[in-house]
Amino acid sequence: MEKFKVIAIDGPAGSGKSTTARLLAEKLHFTYLDTGAMYRCVTLVALDRKIDLQNVDEVGRLARTLEIDLIPDQELGNKVFANGQEVTTAIRTPLVDANVSLVSSYKEVREKMVALQRKFAEKGNVVAEGRDIATVVFPDADLKIYLIADIITRATRRCRQLEEMGLPCTIEEQMASLSSRDLLDSGRAISPLRKDPEAVEMDTSGLSIAEQIERVYQLAQKRLMLNNESII
Ligand code: DC
C-alpha cells in the first residue's frame, strides 16, 4: 500500500490548530483532517438521543455504530456528516463543548475514531489536527507540530467563532470552558493531550494567521524536502 505523508498538529482548544491545519493543507495540496469533529459528532448524537453520557457502554455502542463522514470543503475545511446528515455547525455549540471531553475520554470511542482517522490517511497526504495525533494516531508522522497560545487569545478566538455562528459569548465564560476542557483533555488516562518529544512547539499568541501559516509552511517545506521528496 502506498504510504502517504502526514503532518500532525496537536494542542489545546483555541491554540490555532484548525486554521493552521486547514490553510497549511490548502497550501500543500494535502487533505485537512479535523479529528475533533469526529468526537463532537458522537457527542452531538448522544445528546440528541438523550443517551446518558456517563454510561460508557451506551456511548461506546453509539460510537461503534455511528457513521461519520468528513468531506473536504474549501471554505469550511471539512463538511461533517453523522449517519448521512450534515452537522458541520451543529457540532460547534457550547453544549457540545461542555460534553465532548467526557465522551472523548472513553476507550471504546477513541478506538473507533483512531481507526477512522488512520483510514482517512490511507487515501492521500493529510494535515491532521487534534490532541493525540503525534503521540497515538500517527506516531510516524513526517512533521509534528504542537501549538500553544495564552488563555485570553484562545478565548477571544473561540468567541469570534461563536459570534460568527450567531451565538452569544463572553470572554470570561470561554476562559472557564477552555480551562475545564484543558484539564480534562490533558488529565484523562487514555491518550491525554501532551506534546510529543519530536514535536516542534509554536506559540501563536502574538501571531497573525499569515505569520502562523508561513512558519508552519517553512517547517513543512524543510522537513519534507529533507526526506528528499516533493511536497506537491
Ligand atoms: O479540537 P476540538 O475542540 O474540536 O476537539 C473537541 C474535543 O475532542 C476536545 O475537547 C478533546 C477531543 N479530542 C480528542 O480527545 N482527541 C483528538 N484527537 C481531537 C479532539
Side-chain angles (χ1 to χ4, degrees):
M1 196 196 305
E2 185 174 353
K3 169 131 177 15
F4 292 104
K5 304 234 166 285
V6 175
I7 296 180
I9 304 186
D10 291 299
S15 57
K17 296 188 305 292
S18 305
T19 309
T20 307
R22 187 168 55 78
L23 295 175
L24 179 66
E26 196 179 299
K27 225 169 141 91
L28 295 173
H29 305 288
F30 281 25
T31 304
Y32 165 58
L33 171 59
D34 173 3
T35 63
M38 295 181 170
Y39 294 97
R40 287 174 177 274
C41 263
V42 181
T43 309
L44 175 74
V45 176
L47 287 165
D48 273 359
R49 293 189 188 170
K50 307 214 172 347
I51 289 173
D52 175 6
L53 298 188
Q54 304 288 339
N55 187 327
V56 187
D57 295 335
E58 274 204 49
V59 178
R61 196 171 312 125
L62 168 66
R64 278 196 303 279
T65 53
L66 186 64
E67 196 184 304
I68 299 175
D69 291 303
L70 263 55
I71 310 292
D73 181 89
Q74 183 93 26
E75 199 184 322
L76 300 166
N78 287 156
K79 270 192 180 172
V80 187
F81 296 84
N83 282 341
Q85 192 189 336
E86 185 170 358
V87 293
T88 313
T89 50
I91 57 171
R92 308 273 162 207
T93 62
L95 184 62
V96 174
D97 278 355
N99 291 286
V100 66
S101 289
L102 174 63
V103 168
S104 63
S105 70
Y106 296 147
K107 180 167 166 274
E108 292 77 355
V109 174
R110 301 204 71 82
E111 281 173 355
K112 166 76 186 284
M113 299 307 124
V114 169
L116 274 180
Q117 291 155 22
R118 290 184 178 148
K119 241 198 159 94
F120 199 94
E122 286 173 5
K123 291 184 268 177
N125 298 325
V126 296
V127 179
E129 56 113 338
R131 303 294 188 289
D132 59 341
I133 307 302
T135 52
V136 175
V137 187
F138 300 115
D140 298 327
D142 298 271
L143 171 64
K144 300 177 177 184
I145 296 171
Y146 191 80
L147 295 185
I148 54 166
D150 62 59
I151 187 86
I152 296 186
T153 303
R154 294 165 54 205
T156 309
R157 285 176 183 160
R158 182 75 187 127
C159 264
R160 209 175 301 136
Q161 281 171 353
L162 287 172
E163 281 161 3
E164 276 167 16
M165 288 163 52
L167 297 168
C169 181
T170 69
I171 302 285
E172 291 71 23
E173 260 171 24
Q174 269 315 305
M175 282 171 62
S177 160
L178 289 171
S179 303
S180 133
R181 270 213 281 157
D182 284 355
L183 214 62
L184 292 168
D185 293 343
S186 49
R188 69 180 174 224
I190 311 160
S191 310
L193 166 67
R194 65 180 173 81
K195 177 178 171 288
D196 186 272
E198 292 174 354
V200 178
E201 184 171 294
M202 200 172 109
D203 187 341
T204 66
S205 307
L207 300 181
S208 68
I209 290 175
E211 286 168 332
Q212 243 163 263
I213 304 307
E214 191 49 33
R215 286 192 194 189
V216 291
Y217 181 65
Q218 295 300 335
L219 274 175
Q221 260 193 327
K222 243 192 241 157
R223 189 65 59 91
L224 301 181
M225 290 298 185
L226 258 187
N227 293 348
N228 214 10
E229 303 200 23
S230 164
I231 50 174
I232 50 174

